[in-house]
Short mmCIF file of all heavy atoms in Angstrom, two decimals:
data_model
loop_
_atom_site.label_atom_id
_atom_site.label_comp_id
_atom_site.label_asym_id
_atom_site.label_seq_id
_atom_site.Cartn_x
_atom_site.Cartn_y
_atom_site.Cartn_z
N THR S 382 1.57 7.30 1.30
CA THR S 382 1.32 8.74 1.19
C THR S 382 -0.13 9.01 0.89
O THR S 382 -0.85 8.16 0.36
CB THR S 382 2.17 9.35 0.07
OG1 THR S 382 1.77 8.78 -1.19
CG2 THR S 382 3.65 9.08 0.27
N LYS S 447 6.80 14.71 8.16
CA LYS S 447 5.54 14.01 7.99
C LYS S 447 4.73 14.54 6.81
O LYS S 447 3.68 13.98 6.46
CB LYS S 447 4.72 14.11 9.29
CG LYS S 447 5.34 13.33 10.43
CD LYS S 447 4.45 13.32 11.66
CE LYS S 447 5.07 12.46 12.76
NZ LYS S 447 4.21 12.37 13.96
N ALA S 456 3.51 27.58 -13.27
CA ALA S 456 2.88 26.45 -13.99
C ALA S 456 2.50 26.83 -15.41
O ALA S 456 2.04 27.95 -15.69
CB ALA S 456 1.64 25.99 -13.22
N ALA S 462 -0.94 17.16 -15.43
CA ALA S 462 -0.51 15.76 -15.30
C ALA S 462 -1.00 15.23 -13.96
O ALA S 462 -1.55 15.97 -13.15
CB ALA S 462 1.01 15.66 -15.37
N ILE S 467 5.91 9.70 -3.51
CA ILE S 467 6.27 8.34 -3.12
C ILE S 467 7.38 8.40 -2.08
O ILE S 467 8.31 9.19 -2.22
CB ILE S 467 6.75 7.55 -4.35
CG1 ILE S 467 5.67 7.51 -5.44
CG2 ILE S 467 7.17 6.13 -3.96
CD1 ILE S 467 6.18 7.07 -6.78
N PRO S 482 -2.82 6.95 -5.85
CA PRO S 482 -3.64 7.56 -6.89
C PRO S 482 -3.10 8.90 -7.39
O PRO S 482 -3.44 9.33 -8.49
CB PRO S 482 -5.01 7.76 -6.23
CG PRO S 482 -4.85 7.42 -4.81
CD PRO S 482 -3.52 6.81 -4.58
N PRO S 490 -5.86 27.91 -18.50
CA PRO S 490 -5.39 29.13 -19.18
C PRO S 490 -6.05 30.37 -18.61
O PRO S 490 -7.09 30.33 -17.96
CB PRO S 490 -5.81 28.91 -20.64
CG PRO S 490 -6.91 27.90 -20.58
CD PRO S 490 -6.63 27.02 -19.37
#
Side-chain angles (χ1 to χ4, degrees):
Chain S
T382 64
K447 292 186 177 183
I467 302 165

